[in-house]
């Protein structure tokens, strides 16, 4: 992939800052972050996920050939996120993929539901050098978990994560950093302090509140406007946020929000200029590939607009990444994002989605 190499090192956790304020239809440098949807298969039926309600693409695991083809075309890749709409730990080659990226100096992470985390594959991820393991738990008790995630696996996940953390502590492994994630819903916000306590009890030191993403029309499951906290959080609900933050501090834990916010409440308010999409840097810093090789603008798009055909920017099985990255699809997408008529998938996107 021909493009300008990074002029200086990029913090992989703040890769979006690698993009200059002045942007155009063309990207001046390679993407510094790639989302690799290692699979679109999943063993849960989450009521906040579009995959539960429709087949987005034919079921597939990303092939080794496709994976290496993508990675090898970005020689200075700073960050790889190995999830999409499926459960990465269902993929047999996952530790091998992590090791391949780590051998290139890439910062590697993924979200997991934790259902199949066991001693064998947990140790394999440690040995592979995984940097972050994000556990999407979304509930503080079994009843809420069943309602949100569609299966009775709450106790199993807590047991799996606790055993993994005990293994890390016992053997002195600092990586991967393990965190617990809760999607902010009206239905579960009152459980936020209890969620912090649950994380502490299983040895997890970081907790993150994640913004709900939902379709503007024809909402599905719990991914609905009336469940969103964004710009809709009441004073009473804010109390739970404050309680959770205070509890986390007392336990020596990190409690933050997804994205660039330094504290959770900031992620639940809209940018004041009325066009928050204009601040997005993803189309100049990130590429997202589905398990079948389809190039999408970001991980938010599948949750904010129905139909991949509306925002497909290329196909890695048919095109080089250079052809995609500064091709007509990406160029027109960037041009729209810089205008007052952004792509539909971006129109309602706030400044601090999950980065």
């Amino acid at each position: 992939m021909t493009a300008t190499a990074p002029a200086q090192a990029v913090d992989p956790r703040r890769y979006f800052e690698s993009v200059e304020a002045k942007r155009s239809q063309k990207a001046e440098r390679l993407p510094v972050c790639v989302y690799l949807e290692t699979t679109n298969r999943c063993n849960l039926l989450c009521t906040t996920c579009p995959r539960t309600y429709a087949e987005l693409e034919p079921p597939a695991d990303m092939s080794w050939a496709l994976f290496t083809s993508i990675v090898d075309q970005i020689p200075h890749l700073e960050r790889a996120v190995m999830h999409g709409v499926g459960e990465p730990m269902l993929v047999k080659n996952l530790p091998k993929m992590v090791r391949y990226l780590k051998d290139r100096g890439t910062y590697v992470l993924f979200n997991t539901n934790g259902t199949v985390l066991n001693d064998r594959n947990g140790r394999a991820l440690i040995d592979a050098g995984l940097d972050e393991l994000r556990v999407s738990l979304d509930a503080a008790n079994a009843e809420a978990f069943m309602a949100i995630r569609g299966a009775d696996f709450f106790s199993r996940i807590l047991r799996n994560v606790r055993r993994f953390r005990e293994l890390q502590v016992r053997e002195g492994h600092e990586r991967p950093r393990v965190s617990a994630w809760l999607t902010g819903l009206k239905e579960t916000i009152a459980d936020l302090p209890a969620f912090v306590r649950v994380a502490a009890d299983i040895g997890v030191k970081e907790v993150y509140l994640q913004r709900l993403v939902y379709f503007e029309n024809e909402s599905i499951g719990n991914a609905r406007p009336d469940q969103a906290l964004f710009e809709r959080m009441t004073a009473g609900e804010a109390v739970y946020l404050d309680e959770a933050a205070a509890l986390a501090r007392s336990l020596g834990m990190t409690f933050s929000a997804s994205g660039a916010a330094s504290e959770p409440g900031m992620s639940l308010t809209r940018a004041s200029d009325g066009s928050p999409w204009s601040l997005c840097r993803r189309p100049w810093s990130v590429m997202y590939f589905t398990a079948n090789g389809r190039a999408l603008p970001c991980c938010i798009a599948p949750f904010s607009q129905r139909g991949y055909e509306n925002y497909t920017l290329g196909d890695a099985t048919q095109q080089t990444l250079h052809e995609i990255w500064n091709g007509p699809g990406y160029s027109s997408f960037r041009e729209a994002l810089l205008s007052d008529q952004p792509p539909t998938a971006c129109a309602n996107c706030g400044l601090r989605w999950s980065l």
Side-chain angles (χ1 to χ4, degrees):
M1 185 173 182
T2 304
T4 304
Q8 58 186 14
V10 176
D11 181 346
R13 299 194 70 190
R14 301 191 66 82
Y15 59 89
F16 45 90
E17 294 176 347
S18 67
V19 182
E20 299 294 333
K22 185 178 181 180
R23 292 157 288 152
S24 69
Q25 296 178 26
K26 300 294 183 181
E28 298 299 323
R29 62 188 297 169
L30 296 163
V32 296
C33 174
V34 171
Y35 278 70
L36 299 163
E37 184 183 74
T38 48
T39 186
N40 58 26
R41 297 181 297 119
C42 192
N43 57 352
L44 293 183
L45 296 170
C46 300
T47 59
T48 55
C49 180
R51 185 199 170 280
T52 299
Y53 302 92
E55 183 177 274
L56 305 175
E57 278 194 317
D61 293 350
M62 181 174 283
S63 70
W64 180 254
L66 178 58
F67 167 77
T68 55
S69 172
I70 292 170
V71 172
D72 290 350
Q73 292 180 70
I74 312 177
H76 300 282
L77 183 61
E78 299 286 345
R79 173 183 170 106
V81 182
M82 304 184 72
H83 64 247
V85 299
E87 168 49 47
M89 294 197 71
L90 296 178
V91 178
K92 181 179 179 180
N93 277 337
L94 185 64
K96 181 181 178 183
M97 291 174 165
V98 173
R99 184 71 266 167
Y100 192 83
L101 287 159
K102 292 306 301 176
D103 285 344
R104 302 169 68 89
T106 304
Y107 188 93
V108 185
L109 66 104
F110 62 83
N111 287 12
T112 178
N113 60 35
T115 56
V116 296
L117 176 63
N118 56 36
D119 291 347
R120 180 181 55 80
N121 56 35
R123 187 176 293 280
L125 291 174
I126 292 173
D127 292 343
L130 182 68
D131 292 289
E132 284 189 57
L133 183 67
R134 299 178 172 183
V135 182
S136 298
L137 192 52
D138 278 348
N141 57 69
E143 182 180 1
F145 185 90
M146 184 69 185
I148 301 300
R149 312 224 76 186
D152 187 18
F153 288 149
F154 185 73
S155 295
R156 176 200 291 187
I157 295 166
L158 297 191
R159 182 174 63 252
N160 290 350
V161 177
R162 180 183 288 111
R163 290 182 63 177
F164 182 72
R165 287 293 296 125
E166 289 172 348
L167 169 65
Q168 287 186 289
V169 172
R170 184 171 63 249
E171 298 188 359
H173 300 295
E174 295 184 357
R175 291 289 186 271
R177 290 174 44 233
V178 181
S179 55
W181 293 66
L182 174 78
T183 301
L185 299 173
K186 293 276 188 177
E187 185 171 323
T188 58
I189 187 63
D191 294 335
L192 189 53
F195 185 80
V196 172
R197 180 71 69 182
V198 167
D201 288 346
I202 60 175
V204 174
K205 303 298 185 182
E206 298 181 41
V207 172
Y208 292 87
L209 177 66
Q210 184 161 345
R211 281 256 304 273
L212 174 69
V213 189
Y214 54 87
F215 296 133
E216 186 174 6
N217 300 311
E218 300 180 14
S219 300
I220 57 173
N222 276 304
R224 311 188 308 267
D226 64 293
Q227 281 292 331
L229 296 171
F230 183 60
E231 290 203 312
R232 294 178 172 88
M233 189 167 61
T234 67
E237 290 163 345
V239 169
Y240 299 121
L241 201 65
D242 293 339
E243 288 180 2
L247 177 59
R249 284 193 299 271
S250 72
L251 295 171
M253 298 172 63
T254 297
F255 177 49
S256 190
S258 57
S262 59
E263 56 88 15
M266 289 177 63
S267 73
L268 302 175
T269 56
R270 184 181 292 279
S272 60
D273 64 1
S275 57
W277 64 83
S278 66
L279 297 173
C280 181
R281 301 291 191 270
R282 288 182 182 83
W284 291 268
S285 60
V286 174
M287 297 187 87
Y288 178 114
F289 292 98
T290 69
N292 290 287
R294 188 190 297 257
L296 305 180
C298 70
C299 63
I300 302 298
F303 294 81
S304 60
Q305 184 184 12
R306 297 177 187 276
Y308 282 2
E309 68 278 3
N310 292 305
Y311 40 84
T312 293
L313 304 178
D315 184 346
T317 69
Q318 304 296 322
Q319 300 166 277
T320 67
L321 267 61
H322 176 70
E323 291 170 340
I324 299 170
W325 187 232
N326 275 319
Y330 254 105
S331 295
S332 61
F333 191 90
R334 293 183 185 115
E335 181 179 23
L337 192 63
L338 292 170
S339 75
D340 59 2
Q341 294 183 317
T344 301
C346 307
N348 294 312
C349 187
L351 171 60
R352 297 183 177 93
W353 290 115
S354 176
L355 302 175

